[in-house]
Short mmCIF file of all heavy atoms in Angstrom, two decimals:
data_model
loop_
_atom_site.label_atom_id
_atom_site.label_comp_id
_atom_site.label_asym_id
_atom_site.label_seq_id
_atom_site.Cartn_x
_atom_site.Cartn_y
_atom_site.Cartn_z
N ARG A 190 34.77 63.44 47.89
CA ARG A 190 35.80 62.77 47.09
C ARG A 190 35.17 62.00 45.96
O ARG A 190 35.75 61.95 44.88
CB ARG A 190 36.65 61.88 48.01
CG ARG A 190 37.71 61.06 47.28
CD ARG A 190 38.59 60.30 48.16
NE ARG A 190 39.52 61.16 48.88
CZ ARG A 190 40.58 60.69 49.55
NH1 ARG A 190 40.81 59.42 49.64
NH2 ARG A 190 41.39 61.56 50.15
N GLY A 191 34.02 61.35 46.20
CA GLY A 191 33.37 60.59 45.17
C GLY A 191 32.98 61.53 44.01
O GLY A 191 33.18 61.18 42.86
N HIS A 192 32.44 62.68 44.28
CA HIS A 192 32.08 63.65 43.28
C HIS A 192 33.33 64.13 42.53
O HIS A 192 33.30 64.28 41.30
CB HIS A 192 31.31 64.86 43.85
CG HIS A 192 29.92 64.57 44.21
ND1 HIS A 192 28.98 64.03 43.33
CD2 HIS A 192 29.24 64.75 45.36
CE1 HIS A 192 27.83 63.87 43.95
NE2 HIS A 192 27.93 64.29 45.16
N MET A 193 34.38 64.35 43.23
CA MET A 193 35.63 64.79 42.65
C MET A 193 36.15 63.75 41.65
O MET A 193 36.65 64.07 40.58
CB MET A 193 36.70 65.08 43.72
CG MET A 193 37.91 65.85 43.20
SD MET A 193 39.20 66.00 44.46
CE MET A 193 38.29 66.86 45.74
N ARG A 194 36.10 62.52 42.09
CA ARG A 194 36.54 61.46 41.20
C ARG A 194 35.67 61.33 39.96
O ARG A 194 36.15 61.06 38.88
CB ARG A 194 36.56 60.10 41.96
CG ARG A 194 37.63 59.94 42.98
CD ARG A 194 37.49 58.75 43.78
NE ARG A 194 38.59 58.55 44.71
CZ ARG A 194 38.58 57.65 45.74
NH1 ARG A 194 37.55 56.87 45.90
NH2 ARG A 194 39.61 57.55 46.52
N GLU A 195 34.33 61.52 40.15
CA GLU A 195 33.46 61.41 39.02
C GLU A 195 33.73 62.43 37.94
O GLU A 195 33.63 62.13 36.75
CB GLU A 195 32.00 61.58 39.53
CG GLU A 195 30.96 61.33 38.47
CD GLU A 195 29.55 61.48 39.03
OE1 GLU A 195 29.41 61.62 40.26
OE2 GLU A 195 28.59 61.38 38.24
N TYR A 196 34.15 63.61 38.34
CA TYR A 196 34.39 64.66 37.38
C TYR A 196 35.88 64.99 37.22
O TYR A 196 36.22 66.07 36.73
CB TYR A 196 33.65 65.95 37.78
CG TYR A 196 32.13 65.70 37.83
CD1 TYR A 196 31.46 65.72 39.07
CD2 TYR A 196 31.42 65.49 36.70
CE1 TYR A 196 30.10 65.53 39.11
CE2 TYR A 196 30.05 65.32 36.70
CZ TYR A 196 29.38 65.27 37.95
OH TYR A 196 28.03 65.11 37.98
N LEU A 197 36.75 64.08 37.75
CA LEU A 197 38.21 64.38 37.68
C LEU A 197 38.72 64.64 36.29
O LEU A 197 39.52 65.55 36.05
CB LEU A 197 38.99 63.27 38.38
CG LEU A 197 40.48 63.40 38.42
CD1 LEU A 197 40.81 64.62 39.28
CD2 LEU A 197 41.17 62.16 38.98
N LYS A 198 38.22 63.84 35.36
CA LYS A 198 38.69 63.99 33.97
C LYS A 198 38.43 65.40 33.48
O LYS A 198 39.23 66.11 32.89
CB LYS A 198 38.03 62.98 33.08
CG LYS A 198 38.29 63.19 31.56
CD LYS A 198 37.59 62.12 30.74
CE LYS A 198 37.71 62.39 29.23
NZ LYS A 198 36.86 63.60 28.85
N GLN A 199 37.15 65.84 33.70
CA GLN A 199 36.75 67.13 33.21
C GLN A 199 37.45 68.30 33.96
O GLN A 199 37.91 69.26 33.32
CB GLN A 199 35.21 67.35 33.36
CG GLN A 199 34.34 66.56 32.40
CD GLN A 199 34.41 65.06 32.66
OE1 GLN A 199 34.52 64.62 33.81
NE2 GLN A 199 34.28 64.25 31.66
N ILE A 200 37.64 68.13 35.26
CA ILE A 200 38.32 69.18 36.09
C ILE A 200 39.79 69.30 35.64
O ILE A 200 40.32 70.36 35.40
CB ILE A 200 38.23 68.85 37.58
CG1 ILE A 200 36.81 68.97 37.98
CG2 ILE A 200 39.13 69.78 38.37
CD1 ILE A 200 36.57 68.51 39.47
N THR A 201 40.46 68.12 35.51
CA THR A 201 41.87 68.10 35.16
C THR A 201 42.07 68.62 33.77
O THR A 201 42.92 69.44 33.46
CB THR A 201 42.44 66.68 35.27
OG1 THR A 201 42.26 66.22 36.65
CG2 THR A 201 43.96 66.69 34.96
N TYR A 202 41.29 68.05 32.83
CA TYR A 202 41.37 68.49 31.42
C TYR A 202 41.14 69.96 31.20
O TYR A 202 41.94 70.67 30.59
CB TYR A 202 40.44 67.64 30.59
CG TYR A 202 40.53 67.81 29.10
CD1 TYR A 202 41.77 67.89 28.44
CD2 TYR A 202 39.41 67.88 28.28
CE1 TYR A 202 41.87 68.03 27.06
CE2 TYR A 202 39.44 68.05 26.96
CZ TYR A 202 40.68 68.13 26.34
OH TYR A 202 40.78 68.29 24.98
#
Side-chain angles (χ1 to χ4, degrees):
R190 176 173 287 191
H192 284 307
M193 192 187 302
R194 287 173 177 168
E195 184 177 356
Y196 300 110
L197 181 63
K198 172 181 173 289
Q199 287 71 31
I200 294 173
T201 303
Y202 185 43

